[in-house]
Amino acid sequence: MKNNYEFTPIEFREKILQDLEIRISDSIILVCAILIASIGLNMNSNAVVIGAMLISPVMTPILALGYGLSVLDSFVVRKSAKLLLLEVAVSIIVSSLYFMISPISYPSSEIISRTSPTIWDVIIAFAGGVAGIIGARKKQANNIVPGVAIATALMPPLCTIGYSISVLKWEYFLGSSYLFVINSAFIIIATVIGIRVMKFPVHYKVSTNKNRINLFLLVISILIMIPSIISASSLVQDSVRKYTINNFLKNEFKDYVILDQNYKNSQNKLVLTVSGKKINASKMNNLKESLSSYGLKKVTLEVIQIPELGNLKGEELSKYLDQYIQNKLDENTDKNIESKKEKNDSSKQINE
């Protein structure tokens, strides 16, 4: 009865080998997925990026690699590793070429979100790998593997690598590469564990020591997790600090209009632009001393005061608002100019 719903170990191996065959149709699908994902990242469209992940075939060799390592099948391991490396290379090359010719060079939020992986990405990849191998063994069509492809996001990090190469942003390159390594490695590890739990027989042609492979996977998983834990810790600290700053402003500046707030991480300084009654020296000292009660003991406070807007005359208010808006426009212009300059410098280096 079981065979009516799930592949037997022999059938599953045959299915894996069939999926690892390099076909022209699969190559075209891969290129299409790369272009769709690159455009989605470029245009900051989450829906388009999800569409690219649904049609991407990158998931197949990763699951196959985990299967091969679990049953000690060196033939499957070699074949899946070659296909994975080929798909990764094609993805990076095609996405790099796209971003080189794209007129939009600034990093969208979709791109930036793929450059700072955390421990949660490890958990998602591992859970996705477990679900993926269970879904892959079922004979009936199901939405498990496509769902895993969306959750683990294998294609967007590869396209982000292509973007970072095109604009020579090496911090983005390292972050997106690390995210792809996390996703791939923990899908493989979860697949190995899943196959072992399913009690697939070890391949008869191989006599490799299983304990040695287990130790290798354990060491690799620990080494990969360490940076993600550090990144997650930093993210949690930023979230806590943001919450405490908002709480501080809500309680201590409730009688003021906060026109602008800027936390300078490098200087550990909170800069506020407020409108309201003048803050005298005594009250400023009290505000600075109250920072410690909000868990912001090491944060320095700088307050830029402007006259209360209600007391300004029509011309003065109009002049102030015009100046404030112009300052914001100048900030955005400077950012755009800097982004264009980086793009031009990158293009010159590439041409050279």
Side-chain angles (χ1 to χ4, degrees):
M1 179 65 68
K2 183 178 179 180
N3 291 343
N4 293 331
Y5 300 98
E6 295 180 336
F7 291 106
T8 64
I10 296 176
E11 291 173 337
F12 189 76
R13 183 176 186 273
E14 292 176 353
K15 175 180 176 293
I16 287 289
L17 291 176
Q18 289 177 0
D19 292 340
L20 292 177
E21 294 294 331
I22 300 176
R23 302 179 182 89
I24 296 177
S25 58
D26 291 337
S27 302
I28 295 173
I29 292 172
L30 175 63
V31 173
C32 291
I34 296 165
L35 290 175
I36 293 173
S38 298
I39 293 172
L41 293 171
N42 208 191
M43 301 303 295
N44 205 35
S45 174
N46 188 46
V48 175
V49 174
I50 290 175
M53 288 186 282
L54 275 172
I55 65 175
S56 170
V58 177
M59 189 76 176
T60 300
I62 294 177
L63 288 175
L65 189 55
Y67 164 80
L69 288 172
S70 182
V71 299
L72 308 180
D73 192 331
S74 59
F75 179 74
V76 172
V77 169
R78 286 196 303 269
K79 196 165 185 177
S80 55
K82 288 178 181 178
L83 180 58
L84 178 60
L85 291 175
L86 177 63
E87 290 182 345
V88 167
V90 171
S91 299
I92 294 174
I93 292 171
V94 173
S95 59
S96 298
L97 293 174
Y98 166 80
F99 284 110
M100 284 179 184
I101 63 176
S102 173
I104 303 175
S105 61
Y106 64 86
S108 66
S109 59
E110 287 289 328
I111 290 176
I112 295 174
S113 66
R114 267 84 186 186
T115 60
S116 301
T118 65
I119 188 64
W120 290 288
D121 294 293
V122 172
I123 297 171
I124 291 170
F126 184 82
V130 173
I133 193 60
I134 293 174
R137 196 184 176 188
K138 294 181 180 295
K139 289 184 177 181
Q140 295 89 347
N142 59 77
N143 62 353
I144 296 177
V145 176
V148 172
I150 295 174
T152 54
L154 292 166
M155 183 57 66
L158 290 176
C159 295
T160 304
I161 294 172
Y163 169 81
S164 62
I165 292 174
S166 69
V167 298
L168 301 180
K169 284 275 189 180
W170 302 120
E171 64 272 22
Y172 289 177
F173 176 84
L174 293 176
S176 53
S177 299
Y178 179 46
L179 177 58
F180 180 75
V181 169
I182 282 178
N183 290 339
S184 301
F186 281 91
I187 290 173
I188 291 172
I189 292 169
T191 302
V192 170
I193 295 174
I195 292 295
R196 297 273 175 86
V197 171
M198 294 176 187
K199 297 181 179 180
F200 275 43
V202 175
H203 198 252
Y204 68 92
K205 292 183 180 179
V206 181
S207 60
T208 307
N209 190 335
K210 185 183 291 188
N211 292 331
R212 189 183 304 170
I213 291 181
N214 292 341
L215 179 61
F216 172 76
L217 292 175
L218 177 62
V219 172
I220 289 296
S221 61
I222 292 174
L223 292 176
I224 292 174
M225 277 195 299
I226 291 174
S228 68
I229 294 173
I230 296 173
S231 178
S233 175
S234 176
L235 181 64
V236 170
Q237 290 176 5
D238 290 342
S239 299
V240 171
R241 182 170 54 242
K242 184 177 180 180
Y243 172 79
T244 53
I245 287 176
N246 289 337
N247 198 26
F248 168 73
L249 297 178
K250 181 181 178 180
N251 294 331
E252 303 297 334
F253 287 86
K254 58 185 176 182
D255 297 328
Y256 294 84
V257 178
I258 301 175
L259 299 172
D260 191 25
Q261 67 179 78
N262 181 25
Y263 177 76
K264 299 181 179 180
N265 194 38
S266 59
Q267 303 175 19
N268 207 15
K269 178 190 289 187
L270 175 62
V271 181
L272 301 176
T273 302
V274 301
S275 171
K277 295 180 180 179
K278 185 174 178 59
I279 302 175
N280 55 37
S282 176
K283 186 171 183 178
M284 181 62 72
N285 288 332
N286 291 335
L287 287 172
K288 291 180 179 179
E289 290 176 0
S290 67
L291 285 170
S292 58
S293 63
Y294 290 91
L296 301 169
K297 186 176 181 180
K298 296 182 180 180
V299 177
T300 57
L301 178 65
E302 179 182 338
V303 179
I304 302 171
Q305 301 180 65
I306 65 166
E308 195 169 358
L309 295 181
N311 295 334
L312 293 177
K313 297 179 181 179
E315 292 182 0
E316 293 175 339
L317 178 60
S318 177
K319 183 178 179 180
Y320 169 74
L321 292 176
D322 288 343
Q323 183 62 43
Y324 181 77
I325 293 171
Q326 186 61 45
N327 290 339
K328 287 296 180 183
L329 291 174
D330 290 342
E331 289 179 9
N332 293 333
T333 301
D334 291 340
K335 290 179 180 178
N336 290 335
I337 291 173
E338 185 177 344
S339 177
K340 289 179 181 178
K341 183 179 178 182
E342 290 179 356
K343 178 67 174 179
N344 292 334
D345 291 342
S346 301
S347 299
K348 288 180 181 178
Q349 293 178 15
I350 291 169
N351 290 334
E352 290 175 358

